[in-house]
Amino acid sequence: MAERSFAREVQDLRLGDGDTFRGEGILAITKALLQSGVSYVGGYQGSPISHLMDVLADAKDVLDELGVHFESSASEAAAAASLSASVMYPLRGAVTWKSTAGTNVASDALTNLASGGVTGGALIILGEDYGEGSSIPQERSHAFAMKSQIWLLDPRPNLESIVKSVEDGFELSEATNTPVMLQVRIRACHVHGQFVAKDNRKPAYTIREALENPQRDLNRIVLPPASMLQDRQKLEQRWPAAVDFIKRRKLNEFFGPEAGEVGIVMQGGMYNSVMRGLQYLGLADAYGESKIPLYVLNVTYPLADDEVAEFCRDKRAVLVVEEGHPEYIEQAIGTVLRRRGVAARLAGKDVLPLGGDYTAAVLSKGIGAFLDQNAPHLLGNRPPLPSADAVVSAAPVKQLAEIVPPRPAGFCIGCPERPIFAAMKLVEKELGPHQISADIGCHLFSILPPFNLGGTTMGYGLGPASASAFNVEADKRPISVMGDGGFWHNGLSSGIGNAVFNKQNQVIMVVDNYYSSATGGQDIMSSRADNARRSTNNPIARAVRGIGAKWVREIDRTYDVAKMRDTLKAALTSKEEGPKIIIASSECMLNKQRRVKPLFNKAVKEGKRSVKQRFGVDEDVCTGDHACMRLSGCPSLSVKHLDDPLRDDPVAAIDNNCVGCGNCGEVAEAAVLCPSFYRADVIYNPTRFDLFMAKLRGAVIGYLQRRRDARRVVFS
């Protein structure tokens, strides 16, 4: 069950020649693949490219009509290895994943693919995730492209340019026998627009034809000493062919006046932000007309040296706009200018930030600084400096930012992973702190308040492997955590298998929330739902026992905090040798609400009796020590100030966002905190019996309240 359905949008993928296609970048990429005659597509989900996988899954009927094979790969490595179909056969194939995180996983297959080269077009679509909103380490795909000599496209973020880059990417790959990377940032993935569509093309050569007519070319197999010849071929044939194709097909673009004393060279993906920055400075209009010469690199690797030198030759200074670090493109352009004797001064990271997201505001400031140094007259009359009063008025805002702490990221309301880490805190109180290795996924939030657990994060499915160095005799055991997505991606072999083989004594917590939740709620092998197109309902417990794990415990309701606590304690104190594996299962609450809410609303609308559970806090019982929050951290659990002048401390309160998971009450009971939590059942479309019982309860409670009030009067 993915985060959202594209069932309606994928119908537009059938649009033909001359029709206007409207939608967002992800859909445009899919349409471009079909227009290009792609034979097969694979990949692994991850922001900002997850929706591409979801679109392809929803478009199965369209793909089947064209004879296009689509597969949701077990990992990025599996996706990259599938491109081997294009090595010997004229098959166009595409795969997709999340930027450097996925490229690192796929690196072995990509290295071999780039060495031997391809016959059919091989396109790798990367969802580049760079800047402050990124969920991965700040590295760039550019480095891998240079290392393995895979050509890298970075189209301008509009639908026409993106579609053209997909089509050009396949042709560039075939013309140079080299795989091609297509980099799309989050803004490009979700930008909306339109383009004139073409007819979809059935693959010129099909997977079935390849399978029934096997071919073999020894020159494309990576074996010594052929690998040395392949490296020479990269330098002497493929690279020059790529540069020639780029220049001949004019893949890079020029905008603005033909001549000028200064110019800007930029990655294609930076075009929109640069234009907005120039607008702020009065040097461009809303229609894309720039007063400064612009050289847009829709292909950032390799560079066309002749184009670079020609653009810079008549200019006093050139600014390179290159998001991310280090400045690979700036260094390469510097080398080109030096070798060609071009005297233009080169600027880039000296006026722009070394890293981070290059927004329009950031670029406006950087371009302004560049022009101030090299062509100040272009800036014209500038606004005066802010007055002293304005500076003083801004001071309280700065002071407020210093006092109010930033809100840490956390689990969703009702998340089934929250009680797991509440149980860990309870065990920590009894047995002391433990070395905890975290993993990629939602459970990563346990590192932050209120849980403050987890010491390392080394990669997807590598939580248990991160704890392998701690396999020594000691009074405490290491704990590692990984999700079900990470388990099937890499953790079964690298984590559980490694721990069993080396007789590790660590405790491994596998968080099973039925989906690959952090990437958008896609089904995986252990998902509980039936999936007509994939094999689900494959238990994690069966897999770990199948590779030799002996101590395995399953908890099928993580909200039972007491059971979670006792099981974890048993794992940490067991005398049995080998890894102790706990599989903690409950459905991801986001996916559950997406599934349940429409059904509930439909039942209410149809007049059916429906019950919604809500939880609350008895203000008279709550002591206001807030221990429940420190062991829960649920966003719906907050504080409330009372009107009672004798009570200064705010009490706990549950707001209307509560989904009725019951975790707060379970934590309070397991931790022996307080009995202030209660559950209320809200009944929609009540029956006559419900109404009778409500009146009866009201009468009994009313009688007891009146009796209590009467006693108060007597005693007063």
Side-chain angles (χ1 to χ4, degrees), residues 432-513:
H434 287 71
Q435 163 63 32
I436 300 177
S437 299
D439 204 303
I440 303 298
C442 300
H443 45 275
L444 206 58
F445 294 130
S446 64
I447 293 174
L448 301 172
F451 302 111
N452 301 302
L453 296 166
T456 56
T457 308
M458 297 306 295
Y460 199 28
L462 293 177
S466 303
S468 59
F470 296 95
N471 186 28
V472 296
E473 288 292 332
D475 293 334
K476 290 184 179 179
R477 292 171 183 168
I479 302 173
S480 62
V481 184
M482 68 175 165
D484 45 357
F487 173 85
W488 292 114
H489 176 276
N490 190 30
L492 177 60
S493 58
S494 298
I496 309 294
N498 183 60
V500 171
F501 180 70
N502 288 294
K503 296 185 177 180
Q504 293 178 9
N505 207 21
Q506 66 164 298
V507 175
I508 301 173
M509 178 74 71
V510 182
V511 181
D512 173 21
N513 50 27

Side-chain angles (χ1 to χ4, degrees), residues 372-392:
D372 200 34
Q373 295 172 12
N374 299 283
H377 61 279
L378 291 176
L379 293 171
N381 294 323
R382 281 168 275 177
L385 294 173
S387 65
D389 291 339
V391 174
V392 171

Side-chain angles (χ1 to χ4, degrees), residues 512-562:
D512 173 21
N513 50 27
Y514 303 6
Y515 310 95
S516 184
S517 299
T519 61
Q522 293 82 9
D523 279 340
I524 52 179
M525 288 188 70
S526 52
S527 295
R528 307 294 176 94
D530 291 326
N531 190 316
R533 295 170 181 169
R534 294 183 176 86
S535 174
T536 53
N537 285 287
N538 298 287
I540 292 174
R542 187 185 300 171
V544 299
R545 288 191 177 102
I547 60 171
K550 299 292 191 295
W551 200 103
V552 181
R553 302 291 184 272
E554 298 177 74
I555 299 176
D556 229 26
R557 182 177 173 274
T558 62
Y559 298 102
D560 190 340
V561 178

Side-chain angles (χ1 to χ4, degrees), residues 372-432:
D372 200 34
Q373 295 172 12
N374 299 283
H377 61 279
L378 291 176
L379 293 171
N381 294 323
R382 281 168 275 177
L385 294 173
S387 65
D389 291 339
V391 174
V392 171
S393 65
V397 178
K398 183 179 179 181
Q399 293 172 359
L400 184 64
E402 293 174 352
I403 296 171
V404 178
R407 178 183 176 184
F411 296 102
C412 300
I413 293 172
C415 176
E417 301 189 18
R418 196 185 308 278
I420 296 172
F421 300 106
M424 277 194 186
K425 293 300 287 186
L426 294 174
V427 172
E428 181 181 287
K429 182 179 179 182
E430 188 174 348
L431 301 181

Side-chain angles (χ1 to χ4, degrees), residues 161-177:
S161 296
I162 292 170
V163 170
K164 184 176 183 298
S165 285
V166 171
E167 296 169 342
D168 289 340
F170 279 120
E171 293 186 34
L172 175 59
S173 176
E174 290 165 347
T176 62
N177 301 120

Side-chain angles (χ1 to χ4, degrees), residues 180-245:
V180 170
M181 288 179 169
L182 174 67
Q183 173 179 295
V184 282
R185 295 169 179 80
I186 190 166
R187 293 185 183 91
C189 288
H190 301 299
V191 68
H192 280 253
Q194 64 183 48
F195 65 93
V196 178
K198 301 175 185 175
D199 288 334
N200 293 334
R201 289 166 46 193
K202 289 189 175 183
Y205 194 78
T206 66
I207 295 285
R208 180 171 181 170
E209 287 177 290
L211 196 58
E212 293 177 350
N213 300 279
Q215 299 176 22
R216 195 165 72 103
D217 181 356
L218 289 177
N219 293 323
R220 297 219 178 280
I221 302 174
V222 185
L223 283 172
S227 56
M228 291 299 297
L229 297 176
Q230 290 164 359
D231 192 57
R232 284 182 56 187
Q233 189 184 60
K234 281 184 182 180
L235 298 173
E236 297 172 3
Q237 297 177 31
R238 296 190 209 164
W239 192 326
V243 173
D244 179 68
F245 185 92

Side-chain angles (χ1 to χ4, degrees), residues 129-151:
D129 187 15
Y130 196 87
E132 292 181 1
S134 174
S135 60
I136 59 170
Q138 298 293 283
E139 293 185 358
R140 297 171 59 189
S141 304
H142 198 103
F144 195 95
M146 291 195 302
K147 175 193 78 68
S148 293
Q149 285 185 244
I150 296 175
W151 317 139

